[in-house]
Amino acid sequence: MDTESTASGRPGADVNPDAEGRAAETSEAPELDVLAEAPAAAREVFGDRFDAAVRYTELLATAGVRRGLIGPREVPRLWDRHVLNCAVLAELLPSGSTLCDVGSGAGLPGIPVALARPDVSVTLLEPLLRRTTFLEEVVRELALENVTVLRGRAEEMVGKLAVDVVTARAVAPLDRLAGWGMPLLRPHGQMLALKGDSAEQELADSRAGLAKLGAVEWSVISVGEGTLETSTRVVQVKAGESPGGVKAATRRAKVARAGRNAGAKNGVTGRGARRRGR
């Protein structure tokens, strides 16, 4: 089960927030025999990408620990508490959808979801260089053709990135997370936030803010029942016609207008584009 825990306890947390651009290494990574053997459920969830899921988990247990992306004490429970806990989000994703994992950190939940659902196009959005470097290395090693790593903050991507689903795990309280994630959704998209035991309370505290952000439906649901010993609790927020509310709509319009103006200046839009294409 996911929790909003301290930096030493969750993947993607800053062990040293000032270590941007450098390794921020801890003591030597645990030996791989400390990592629990993949449970039977992993073969069911990942199918023919099971071997890639095993390798990703090994990378979390070694390079992930050395670079301060995951606490060493999490290694024995990587499969149950982290990798499979995230992968079961795949149950909620429409076929062929696009997804942005906000504040992806060590790739949770984005990489397990991408492994479980190769039909889904996943963008791992992360502002810190040392994390995006790790993510790019993982994507290359696992040959994940359905995954893109993007360095940046969610608020910078409004109008530049639009997806069907936004995911996040242990990034921020729900009200703040919604302010970052909802504006990235297409109309009628959904935000899925892994929240663990805090799910109901955070949702109760955020209802008014969610409505202002264009949400039309929200609930706490469990996924992975029958697959995991402990199911994953998720806050599911569904957007209406205007995800992110008025401010996001204004921002999207501004970005679109700037793009059209830049294209017109370069002679690549409208009639000019058609004339040049003849």
Side-chain angles (χ1 to χ4, degrees):
M1 181 178 295
D2 184 53
T3 58
E4 294 272 344
S5 56
T6 60
S8 62
R10 64 171 174 83
D14 272 324
V15 172
N16 180 357
D18 297 322
E20 168 66 38
R22 63 180 189 270
E25 298 198 356
T26 66
S27 58
E28 291 185 9
E31 297 294 330
L32 280 181
D33 61 1
V34 176
L35 176 62
E37 183 179 352
R43 290 189 179 275
E44 176 185 344
V45 170
F46 294 110
D48 59 7
R49 284 188 163 186
F50 170 75
D51 289 342
V54 170
R55 182 57 184 146
Y56 171 57
T57 308
E58 291 173 350
L59 290 169
L60 288 176
T62 52
V65 171
R66 286 197 302 271
R67 299 184 189 191
L69 302 180
I70 178 171
R73 289 177 296 179
E74 294 301 300
V75 172
R77 51 189 182 180
L78 273 174
W79 278 109
D80 292 333
R81 182 171 178 175
H82 301 295
V83 176
L84 286 171
N85 176 271
C86 291
V88 292
L89 279 181
E91 298 175 13
L92 303 176
L93 305 181
S95 178
S97 56
T98 56
L99 180 151
C100 178
D101 186 26
V102 172
S104 192
L108 297 164
I111 289 179
V113 168
L115 287 166
R117 288 289 301 273
D119 64 303
V120 173
S121 297
V122 175
T123 297
L124 307 177
L125 181 61
E126 170 57 50
L128 296 186
L129 177 60
R130 64 186 173 88
R131 294 180 184 176
T132 55
T133 298
F134 173 79
L135 294 173
E136 288 167 350
E137 292 170 0
V138 170
V139 168
R140 282 196 301 270
E141 178 157 346
L142 302 185
L144 296 178
E145 295 182 356
N146 62 323
V147 179
T148 300
V149 178
L150 183 60
R151 186 182 177 199
R153 300 183 182 280
E155 54 267 40
E156 300 168 347
M157 300 297 158
V158 179
K160 303 175 183 177
L161 179 66
V163 295
D164 303 309
V165 182
V166 165
T167 58
R169 182 179 193 248
V171 172
L174 183 62
D175 54 353
R176 198 185 326 157
L177 175 63
W180 297 336
M182 293 290 290
L184 301 181
L185 290 173
R186 293 191 174 110
H188 307 292
Q190 62 175 330
M191 184 179 74
L192 304 174
L194 284 77
K195 283 295 177 181
D197 291 337
S198 68
E200 282 86 359
Q201 187 59 56
E202 288 198 47
L203 183 56
D205 294 341
S206 304
R207 293 176 187 272
L210 292 175
K212 290 180 180 179
L213 289 167
V216 296
E217 185 179 338
W218 45 77
S219 59
V220 177
I221 58 177
S222 294
V223 290
E225 294 180 341
T227 301
L228 307 180
E229 289 188 11
T230 302
S231 59
T232 300
R233 293 171 62 73
V234 181
V235 176
Q236 183 182 48
V237 180
K238 296 183 179 180
E241 289 286 348
S242 301
V246 175
K247 289 184 178 180
T250 301
R251 172 64 177 163
R252 284 192 289 266
K254 182 178 179 180
V255 171
R257 186 164 58 249
R260 288 194 298 270
N261 291 341
K265 183 177 180 180
N266 294 324
V268 294
T269 60
R271 295 180 181 178
R274 289 193 290 272
R275 285 197 299 268
R276 292 179 63 179
R278 290 175 181 171

Coordinates of all heavy atoms in Angstrom, one line a residue, residues 66-132:
R66 N 21.6 3.4 -5.0 CA 22.8 4.2 -5.0 C 22.6 5.6 -5.3 O 23.3 6.5 -4.8 CB 23.8 3.6 -6.1 CG 24.4 2.2 -5.7 CD 25.6 1.9 -6.6 NE 25.2 1.9 -8.0 CZ 24.8 0.8 -8.6 NH1 24.7 -0.3 -8.0 NH2 24.5 0.8 -9.9
R67 N 21.6 5.9 -6.1 CA 21.4 7.3 -6.5 C 20.4 8.1 -5.6 O 20.0 9.2 -5.9 CB 20.9 7.4 -8.0 CG 21.9 6.8 -9.0 CD 21.4 6.9 -10.4 NE 22.2 6.2 -11.3 CZ 22.2 6.3 -12.6 NH1 21.3 7.1 -13.2 NH2 22.9 5.6 -13.4
G68 N 20.0 7.4 -4.6 CA 19.1 8.1 -3.6 C 17.7 8.2 -4.1 O 17.0 9.0 -3.6
L69 N 17.2 7.3 -5.0 CA 15.9 7.4 -5.5 C 14.9 6.5 -4.7 O 13.7 6.6 -4.9 CB 15.8 7.0 -7.0 CG 16.7 7.9 -7.9 CD1 16.6 7.4 -9.4 CD2 16.3 9.3 -7.9
I70 N 15.5 5.6 -4.0 CA 14.7 4.7 -3.2 C 15.4 4.4 -1.9 O 16.7 4.3 -1.9 CB 14.3 3.4 -4.0 CG1 13.5 2.5 -3.1 CG2 15.6 2.7 -4.5 CD1 13.0 1.3 -3.9
G71 N 14.7 4.3 -0.8 CA 15.4 3.9 0.5 C 15.8 2.5 0.5 O 15.0 1.6 0.1
P72 N 17.0 2.2 1.0 CA 17.4 0.8 1.1 C 16.5 -0.2 1.8 O 16.4 -1.3 1.4 CB 18.8 0.9 1.9 CG 19.2 2.3 1.6 CD 18.0 3.1 1.6
R73 N 15.8 0.3 2.8 CA 14.9 -0.5 3.5 C 13.7 -1.0 2.7 O 12.9 -1.9 3.1 CB 14.4 0.2 4.8 CG 15.5 0.3 5.9 CD 15.0 1.1 7.1 NE 14.7 2.5 6.7 CZ 14.2 3.4 7.6 NH1 13.9 3.1 8.8 NH2 13.9 4.6 7.2
E74 N 13.4 -0.3 1.6 CA 12.3 -0.7 0.7 C 12.6 -1.9 -0.2 O 11.7 -2.5 -0.8 CB 11.9 0.5 -0.1 CG 11.3 1.7 0.7 CD 10.1 1.3 1.5 OE1 9.1 0.8 0.8 OE2 10.1 1.4 2.7
V75 N 13.9 -2.2 -0.3 CA 14.3 -3.3 -1.3 C 13.6 -4.6 -1.0 O 13.0 -5.2 -2.0 CB 15.8 -3.5 -1.3 CG1 16.2 -4.7 -2.1 CG2 16.5 -2.2 -1.8
P76 N 13.5 -5.1 0.2 CA 12.8 -6.4 0.3 C 11.3 -6.4 -0.1 O 10.7 -7.5 -0.3 CB 13.0 -6.7 1.8 CG 14.1 -5.9 2.3 CD 14.0 -4.6 1.4
R77 N 10.7 -5.3 -0.1 CA 9.3 -5.2 -0.4 C 9.0 -4.5 -1.7 O 7.9 -4.0 -1.9 CB 8.5 -4.6 0.8 CG 9.1 -3.2 1.3 CD 8.4 -2.8 2.5 NE 8.9 -1.5 3.0 CZ 8.4 -0.9 4.1 NH1 7.5 -1.5 4.8 NH2 8.9 0.3 4.5
L78 N 10.0 -4.4 -2.6 CA 9.8 -3.7 -3.8 C 8.6 -4.3 -4.6 O 7.8 -3.5 -5.2 CB 11.1 -3.7 -4.7 CG 12.1 -2.6 -4.4 CD1 13.3 -2.9 -5.2 CD2 11.5 -1.3 -4.7
W79 N 8.6 -5.6 -4.7 CA 7.5 -6.2 -5.6 C 6.1 -5.8 -5.1 O 5.3 -5.3 -5.8 CB 7.7 -7.7 -5.7 CG 8.7 -8.1 -6.7 CD1 9.9 -8.7 -6.4 CD2 8.6 -8.1 -8.1 NE1 10.6 -8.9 -7.6 CE2 9.8 -8.6 -8.6 CE3 7.6 -7.6 -9.0 CZ2 10.0 -8.7 -10.0 CZ3 7.8 -7.7 -10.3 CH2 9.0 -8.3 -10.8
D80 N 5.8 -6.2 -3.8 CA 4.5 -6.0 -3.3 C 4.1 -4.6 -3.1 O 3.0 -4.2 -3.4 CB 4.3 -6.9 -2.1 CG 4.4 -8.4 -2.3 OD1 4.1 -8.8 -3.4 OD2 4.8 -9.1 -1.4
R81 N 4.9 -3.8 -2.5 CA 4.6 -2.5 -2.0 C 4.7 -1.5 -3.1 O 4.0 -0.4 -3.1 CB 5.4 -2.1 -0.8 CG 5.0 -0.7 -0.3 CD 5.7 -0.4 1.0 NE 5.4 0.9 1.5 CZ 5.7 1.4 2.6 NH1 6.4 0.7 3.5 NH2 5.4 2.6 3.0
H82 N 5.5 -1.7 -4.1 CA 5.8 -0.7 -5.1 C 5.5 -1.1 -6.5 O 4.6 -0.5 -7.2 CB 7.3 -0.3 -5.0 CG 7.6 0.3 -3.6 ND1 7.1 1.4 -3.1 CD2 8.4 -0.2 -2.6 CE1 7.5 1.7 -1.9 NE2 8.3 0.7 -1.6
V83 N 6.2 -2.1 -7.1 CA 6.0 -2.4 -8.5 C 4.6 -3.0 -8.8 O 3.9 -2.4 -9.7 CB 7.1 -3.4 -8.9 CG1 6.9 -3.8 -10.4 CG2 8.5 -2.8 -8.7
L84 N 4.2 -4.0 -8.1 CA 2.8 -4.5 -8.4 C 1.8 -3.6 -7.9 O 0.7 -3.5 -8.5 CB 2.7 -5.9 -7.7 CG 3.4 -7.0 -8.4 CD1 3.4 -8.3 -7.6 CD2 2.8 -7.3 -9.8
N85 N 2.0 -2.9 -6.8 CA 1.1 -1.9 -6.3 C 0.7 -0.9 -7.3 O -0.4 -0.4 -7.4 CB 1.7 -1.3 -5.0 CG 0.9 -0.2 -4.4 OD1 1.0 1.0 -4.8 ND2 0.0 -0.5 -3.5
C86 N 1.7 -0.5 -8.1 CA 1.5 0.5 -9.2 C 1.0 -0.2 -10.5 O 0.1 0.4 -11.1 CB 2.8 1.2 -9.5 SG 3.5 2.2 -8.2
A87 N 1.4 -1.3 -10.8 CA 1.1 -2.0 -12.1 C -0.4 -2.2 -12.2 O -1.0 -2.2 -13.3 CB 1.9 -3.3 -12.3
V88 N -1.1 -2.5 -11.1 CA -2.5 -2.8 -11.2 C -3.4 -1.6 -11.6 O -4.6 -1.8 -11.9 CB -3.0 -3.4 -9.9 CG1 -2.4 -4.8 -9.7 CG2 -2.7 -2.5 -8.7
L89 N -2.8 -0.4 -11.6 CA -3.5 0.7 -12.2 C -3.9 0.5 -13.6 O -4.9 1.1 -14.1 CB -2.6 2.0 -12.2 CG -2.5 2.8 -10.9 CD1 -1.6 4.0 -11.1 CD2 -3.9 3.2 -10.4
A90 N -3.2 -0.5 -14.3 CA -3.5 -0.8 -15.7 C -5.0 -1.2 -15.8 O -5.6 -1.0 -16.9 CB -2.6 -1.9 -16.1
E91 N -5.6 -1.7 -14.8 CA -7.0 -2.1 -14.9 C -8.0 -0.9 -15.2 O -9.0 -1.1 -15.7 CB -7.5 -2.7 -13.5 CG -6.8 -3.9 -13.0 CD -7.2 -4.3 -11.6 OE1 -8.2 -3.8 -11.2 OE2 -6.5 -5.2 -11.0
L92 N -7.5 0.3 -14.9 CA -8.4 1.4 -15.1 C -8.2 2.2 -16.4 O -8.9 3.2 -16.6 CB -8.1 2.4 -13.9 CG -8.4 1.8 -12.5 CD1 -8.0 2.9 -11.4 CD2 -9.8 1.4 -12.3
L93 N -7.3 1.7 -17.2 CA -6.9 2.5 -18.4 C -7.6 2.1 -19.6 O -7.6 0.9 -20.0 CB -5.4 2.4 -18.6 CG -4.5 2.8 -17.4 CD1 -3.0 2.6 -17.8 CD2 -4.8 4.2 -17.0
P94 N -8.2 3.0 -20.4 CA -8.8 2.7 -21.6 C -7.8 2.2 -22.7 O -6.6 2.5 -22.6 CB -9.4 4.0 -22.1 CG -9.5 4.8 -20.9 CD -8.3 4.4 -20.0
S95 N -8.2 1.3 -23.6 CA -7.3 0.8 -24.6 C -6.7 1.9 -25.5 O -7.5 2.9 -25.9 CB -8.1 -0.2 -25.5 OG -7.2 -0.6 -26.5
G96 N -5.4 1.9 -25.7 CA -4.8 2.9 -26.6 C -4.7 4.3 -26.0 O -4.5 5.2 -26.7
S97 N -4.9 4.4 -24.7 CA -4.9 5.8 -24.1 C -3.5 6.4 -23.9 O -2.5 5.7 -24.1 CB -5.6 5.7 -22.7 OG -5.0 4.8 -21.9
T98 N -3.4 7.6 -23.6 CA -2.2 8.3 -23.4 C -2.2 8.7 -21.9 O -3.2 9.0 -21.3 CB -2.0 9.6 -24.2 OG1 -3.2 10.5 -24.0 CG2 -1.9 9.2 -25.7
L99 N -1.0 8.7 -21.3 CA -0.9 8.8 -19.8 C 0.4 9.7 -19.5 O 1.4 9.5 -20.1 CB -0.8 7.4 -19.2 CG -0.6 7.4 -17.6 CD1 -1.3 6.1 -17.2 CD2 0.8 7.4 -17.2
C100 N 0.2 10.5 -18.5 CA 1.3 11.3 -18.0 C 1.5 11.0 -16.5 O 0.6 11.2 -15.7 CB 1.1 12.8 -18.2 SG 2.5 13.8 -17.5
D101 N 2.7 10.5 -16.1 CA 3.0 10.2 -14.7 C 3.7 11.4 -14.2 O 4.9 11.7 -14.4 CB 3.9 9.0 -14.7 CG 4.1 8.5 -13.2 OD1 3.3 8.8 -12.4 OD2 5.2 7.9 -13.0
V102 N 3.0 12.2 -13.4 CA 3.5 13.5 -12.8 C 4.4 13.2 -11.6 O 4.1 12.5 -10.7 CB 2.3 14.4 -12.4 CG1 2.8 15.6 -11.7 CG2 1.5 14.8 -13.7
G103 N 5.6 13.9 -11.7 CA 6.6 13.6 -10.6 C 7.0 12.2 -10.5 O 7.0 11.6 -9.4
S104 N 7.4 11.7 -11.6 CA 7.6 10.2 -11.8 C 8.7 9.6 -10.9 O 8.6 8.5 -10.5 CB 7.9 9.9 -13.2 OG 7.8 8.5 -13.5
G105 N 9.7 10.4 -10.5 CA 10.7 10.0 -9.6 C 11.5 8.8 -10.1 O 12.2 8.9 -11.1
A106 N 11.4 7.6 -9.5 CA 12.1 6.4 -10.0 C 11.2 5.7 -11.0 O 11.6 4.6 -11.4 CB 12.4 5.5 -8.8
G107 N 10.1 6.3 -11.5 CA 9.3 5.6 -12.5 C 8.1 5.0 -12.0 O 7.5 4.1 -12.7
L108 N 7.7 5.3 -10.8 CA 6.5 4.7 -10.1 C 5.4 5.7 -10.0 O 5.6 6.8 -9.5 CB 6.8 4.2 -8.8 CG 7.9 3.1 -8.7 CD1 8.5 2.9 -7.3 CD2 7.3 1.8 -9.2
P109 N 4.2 5.5 -10.6 CA 3.8 4.2 -11.2 C 4.0 4.0 -12.7 O 3.6 3.0 -13.3 CB 2.3 4.2 -10.9 CG 1.9 5.7 -11.0 CD 3.1 6.4 -10.4
G110 N 4.6 5.0 -13.4 CA 4.6 5.0 -14.8 C 5.2 3.8 -15.5 O 4.6 3.3 -16.5
I111 N 6.4 3.4 -15.0 CA 7.0 2.3 -15.7 C 6.3 0.9 -15.5 O 6.1 0.2 -16.5 CB 8.5 2.2 -15.3 CG1 9.3 3.4 -15.9 CG2 9.1 0.9 -15.7 CD1 10.7 3.4 -15.6
P112 N 5.9 0.6 -14.3 CA 5.1 -0.6 -14.2 C 3.8 -0.6 -15.0 O 3.5 -1.7 -15.6 CB 4.8 -0.7 -12.7 CG 5.9 0.0 -12.0 CD 6.2 1.1 -12.9
V113 N 3.2 0.5 -15.1 CA 2.0 0.6 -15.9 C 2.3 0.4 -17.4 O 1.6 -0.3 -18.1 CB 1.3 2.0 -15.7 CG1 0.2 2.2 -16.8 CG2 0.6 2.0 -14.3
A114 N 3.4 1.0 -17.8 CA 3.8 0.9 -19.2 C 4.2 -0.6 -19.5 O 4.0 -1.1 -20.7 CB 5.0 1.8 -19.5
L115 N 4.8 -1.3 -18.6 CA 5.1 -2.7 -18.8 C 3.9 -3.6 -18.9 O 3.8 -4.5 -19.7 CB 6.0 -3.2 -17.6 CG 7.5 -2.7 -17.7 CD1 8.2 -2.9 -16.3 CD2 8.3 -3.4 -18.8
A116 N 2.9 -3.3 -18.0 CA 1.7 -4.0 -18.0 C 0.8 -3.8 -19.2 O 0.0 -4.6 -19.6 CB 0.9 -3.8 -16.7
R117 N 0.9 -2.5 -19.7 CA 0.0 -2.1 -20.8 C 0.8 -1.5 -22.0 O 0.9 -0.3 -22.1 CB -1.0 -1.1 -20.3 CG -2.1 -1.7 -19.4 CD -3.1 -2.6 -20.1 NE -3.7 -1.8 -21.1 CZ -4.8 -1.1 -20.9 NH1 -5.4 -1.1 -19.7 NH2 -5.4 -0.4 -21.9
P118 N 1.4 -2.3 -22.8 CA 2.2 -1.8 -23.9 C 1.3 -1.0 -24.9 O 1.9 -0.3 -25.8 CB 2.8 -3.1 -24.6 CG 1.9 -4.2 -24.1 CD 1.4 -3.8 -22.7
D119 N 0.0 -1.1 -24.9 CA -0.8 -0.3 -25.8 C -1.0 1.1 -25.3 O -1.5 2.0 -26.1 CB -2.2 -1.0 -25.9 CG -3.0 -1.0 -24.6 OD1 -2.4 -1.5 -23.6 OD2 -4.1 -0.4 -24.5
V120 N -0.6 1.4 -24.1 CA -0.7 2.8 -23.5 C 0.6 3.6 -23.7 O 1.7 3.1 -23.4 CB -1.1 2.7 -22.0 CG1 -1.1 4.1 -21.4 CG2 -2.4 2.0 -21.9
S121 N 0.5 4.8 -24.2 CA 1.6 5.7 -24.4 C 1.8 6.5 -23.1 O 1.0 7.2 -22.7 CB 1.4 6.6 -25.6 OG 1.3 5.9 -26.8
V122 N 3.0 6.3 -22.5 CA 3.3 6.8 -21.2 C 4.4 7.9 -21.3 O 5.4 7.7 -21.8 CB 3.7 5.7 -20.2 CG1 4.2 6.3 -18.9 CG2 2.6 4.7 -20.0
T123 N 4.1 9.1 -20.7 CA 5.1 10.1 -20.5 C 5.5 10.2 -19.0 O 4.6 10.4 -18.2 CB 4.6 11.5 -21.0 OG1 4.3 11.4 -22.4 CG2 5.6 12.6 -20.7
L124 N 6.8 10.1 -18.7 CA 7.3 10.2 -17.4 C 7.7 11.6 -17.2 O 8.7 12.0 -17.8 CB 8.4 9.2 -17.1 CG 8.1 7.8 -17.5 CD1 9.4 6.9 -17.2 CD2 7.0 7.2 -16.6
L125 N 7.0 12.4 -16.4 CA 7.3 13.8 -16.3 C 8.0 14.0 -14.9 O 7.4 13.8 -13.9 CB 6.0 14.7 -16.3 CG 6.1 16.2 -16.2 CD1 7.0 16.7 -17.3 CD2 4.7 16.8 -16.2
E126 N 9.2 14.6 -15.0 CA 10.0 14.7 -13.7 C 10.9 15.9 -13.9 O 11.6 16.1 -14.9 CB 10.8 13.4 -13.5 CG 11.9 13.5 -12.5 CD 11.3 13.9 -11.1 OE1 10.3 13.3 -10.7 OE2 11.9 14.8 -10.5
P127 N 11.0 16.8 -12.9 CA 11.8 18.0 -13.0 C 13.3 17.8 -12.7 O 14.1 18.6 -13.2 CB 11.1 19.0 -12.0 CG 10.5 18.1 -11.0 CD 10.0 16.9 -11.7
L128 N 13.6 16.8 -11.9 CA 15.0 16.7 -11.5 C 15.9 15.9 -12.4 O 15.5 14.8 -12.9 CB 15.1 16.1 -10.1 CG 14.5 16.9 -8.9 CD1 14.7 16.2 -7.6 CD2 15.0 18.3 -8.9
L129 N 17.1 16.4 -12.7 CA 18.0 15.8 -13.7 C 18.4 14.4 -13.3 O 18.4 13.5 -14.2 CB 19.2 16.7 -13.9 CG 20.3 16.2 -14.9 CD1 19.7 16.0 -16.3 CD2 21.5 17.2 -14.9
R130 N 18.8 14.2 -12.1 CA 19.3 12.9 -11.7 C 18.2 11.9 -11.9 O 18.5 10.7 -12.1 CB 19.9 12.9 -10.3 CG 19.0 13.2 -9.2 CD 19.8 13.3 -7.9 NE 19.0 13.8 -6.8 CZ 18.3 12.9 -6.0 NH1 18.4 11.6 -6.2 NH2 17.6 13.4 -5.0
R131 N 17.0 12.2 -11.7 CA 15.9 11.3 -11.8 C 15.6 11.0 -13.3 O 15.4 9.9 -13.7 CB 14.7 11.8 -11.1 CG 14.8 11.9 -9.6 CD 13.5 12.4 -9.0 NE 13.6 12.6 -7.6 CZ 12.6 13.1 -6.9 NH1 11.5 13.5 -7.4 NH2 12.8 13.2 -5.6
T132 N 15.6 12.1 -14.1 CA 15.3 11.8 -15.5 C 16.4 11.0 -16.2 O 16.2 10.2 -17.1 CB 15.1 13.1 -16.3 OG1 16.2 14.0 -16.1 CG2 13.8 13.8 -15.8

